[in-house]
Amino acid sequence: MVQAFQQAVAELGGTITAEATYRLMRQQSVGYAEKTIAAQNGWDWQALRAGYQRWEPQLQQAPAAFTGAKAVLAKVVAVGGHNYLMTHRDESAQTYLVQPALITILRTQSLPTSRFHANQIQRP
């Protein structure tokens, strides 16, 4: 997401660091980042959004979990807790969520495999 945002900014003739992009997106939202950076540079925020939306699917091929995520999930289960997945992403997240590496982690929850299918992941 960060790299896609940086590419969209570059297309409009600007630059932004990965750190600044990440901070804006995580502390606020992608929409906030688009509007803030567009306003700072005198751009139409919708042009920035269009660029971001064009780059994001190309660059977000294999999102990775944070370092140590698998150990944290295992610890939660070890102390009797449960892990849940929630995403703000569109239907493209379904493809990622059913990758073998994630299925392995999710199956540690002792849920029947039949309860975890891509068609059961619903958007709000």
Side-chain angles (χ1 to χ4, degrees), residues 69-91:
K70 189 171 183 177
V72 170
L73 294 172
K75 179 71 173 175
V76 169
V77 173
V79 298
H82 298 280
N83 294 304
Y84 300 94
L85 288 174
M86 187 168 92
T87 182
H88 65 285
R89 302 186 52 78
D90 62 14
E91 290 84 8

Side-chain angles (χ1 to χ4, degrees), residues 19-30 32-33:
E19 181 182 341
T21 302
Y22 185 82
R23 191 175 329 116
L24 282 170
M25 293 172 123
R26 292 294 169 243
Q27 290 179 351
Q28 299 293 327
S29 67
V30 174
Y32 177 85

Side-chain angles (χ1 to χ4, degrees), residues 9 13 27 33 68 70 82-83 97 103 108-109 123:
V9 168
Q27 290 179 351
K70 189 171 183 177
H82 298 280
N83 294 304
L97 292 174
I103 291 286
T108 65
Q109 301 301 294
R123 288 174 55 175

